[in-house]
Amino acid sequence: MKRERLDKVLANMGKGTRKEVKQLIKQRLVTVDGKLATDPGMHVIPEQQVIEIDGKPLLFKRWIYVMLNKPDGVISATEDSFHETVVDLLPEEWAHKVHPVGRLDIDTEGLLLLTNDGQLSHSLLSPKKKVDKEYYARIDGRVTEEHVAAFSQGVTLDDEYVTLPAKLEILESGDTSEIHVTIMEGKFHQVKRMFAAFGLRVMYLKRLRMGSLLLDDSLELGDYRELTEEELLALRNGSDAPDA
């Protein structure tokens, strides 16, 4: 385990900017293993040592993995001047550290993973890994078996890009149709553009799954929780599969 500067560790745990953290230390409020910390640059091993601020021990976590049920109207970004972002929904100690793994459109709901684990994020998003994403959608128009067959062959989008084969399942077909669709890419507005290629409009879109990770149906819109060890292990095993 590596040693890190105390002020950096505290700042990364959301206890203030580096300047603010140095003030806490100057005010004699920080201890390490029961001893007063006087040097912001002292090196600590946060996984092994007990760090306290004003007598309250800090729980250090190097890696954070959060499942969010993203609501409509929130953008998949870490900052924005005009809209609420997904990290705005998280506690302060997580918000400044994590990033969304991939993006959901502002009007798309559902499963979004946020983490500070860049390696896992890269693996899940790598086109070579072909990590599949499953969505539920309501479609303005009748979805038929002809569409199912077309999706299974790949769909030509408005920019002439041909998608990888996708699995389309019809739940209900009518003037308004309900479907599940599973894709292995993350092109801009991909699901909407795939249906638009057939003159159909996506009215509502919700992501249900990413690889092995299923949206916890007990999470209300805007709610979040940390991944379980089992979920994380399955996600890592899936993303570590050999390149196709």
Side-chain angles (χ1 to χ4, degrees), residues 150-151 153-157 160-166 183 185 187 190 194:
F151 271 55
Q153 297 300 311
V155 175
T156 302
L157 303 181
E160 302 305 316
Y161 176 82
V162 181
T163 71
L164 291 173
I183 61 176
E185 301 166 282
K187 299 296 181 183
Q190 181 170 335
M194 290 175 78

Side-chain angles (χ1 to χ4, degrees), residues 18-176:
R18 293 281 280 272
K19 183 177 180 181
E20 290 169 340
V21 163
K22 287 177 180 177
Q23 282 299 311
L24 291 175
I25 295 170
K26 186 177 181 179
Q27 293 166 13
R28 304 170 67 85
L29 295 175
V30 180
T31 60
V32 178
D33 292 336
K35 297 180 180 179
L36 188 66
T38 57
D39 179 9
M42 73 175 290
H43 284 78
V44 297
I45 304 176
E47 292 93 341
Q48 294 181 345
Q49 296 179 273
V50 177
I51 303 173
E52 296 180 308
I53 296 181
D54 201 14
K56 298 177 181 178
L58 304 181
L59 178 61
F60 178 81
K61 287 188 177 183
R62 187 171 297 279
W63 305 116
I64 302 169
Y65 306 92
V66 180
M67 176 192 300
L68 170 71
N69 187 0
K70 177 192 168 302
D72 181 10
V74 178
I75 65 169
S76 301
T78 56
E79 57 181 345
D80 188 85
S81 301
F82 303 102
H83 298 96
E84 186 177 27
T85 72
V86 290
V87 298
D88 291 332
L89 302 174
L90 303 181
E92 182 181 349
E93 62 266 27
W94 290 348
H96 74 290
K97 296 182 70 173
V98 300
H99 61 269
V101 180
R103 306 178 76 85
L104 292 178
D105 294 343
I106 189 170
D107 58 349
T108 299
E109 298 178 354
L111 174 65
L112 188 66
L113 174 65
L114 298 104
T115 184
N116 60 343
D117 186 340
Q119 183 174 352
L120 178 63
S121 180
H122 174 75
S123 295
L124 291 170
L125 297 176
S126 171
K128 294 181 179 180
K129 301 297 183 181
K130 295 185 172 66
V131 176
D132 57 348
K133 280 82 68 175
E134 182 179 356
Y135 297 80
Y136 164 82
R138 288 196 294 270
I139 309 298
D140 183 10
R142 186 176 298 275
V143 179
T144 68
E145 291 300 325
E146 286 74 17
H147 298 122
V148 174
F151 271 55
S152 71
Q153 297 300 311
V155 175
T156 302
L157 303 181
D158 48 10
D159 60 359
E160 302 305 316
Y161 176 82
V162 181
T163 71
L164 291 173
K167 179 182 178 183
L168 176 59
E169 177 186 1
I170 301 172
L171 305 177
E172 184 174 330
S173 181
D175 292 340
T176 298

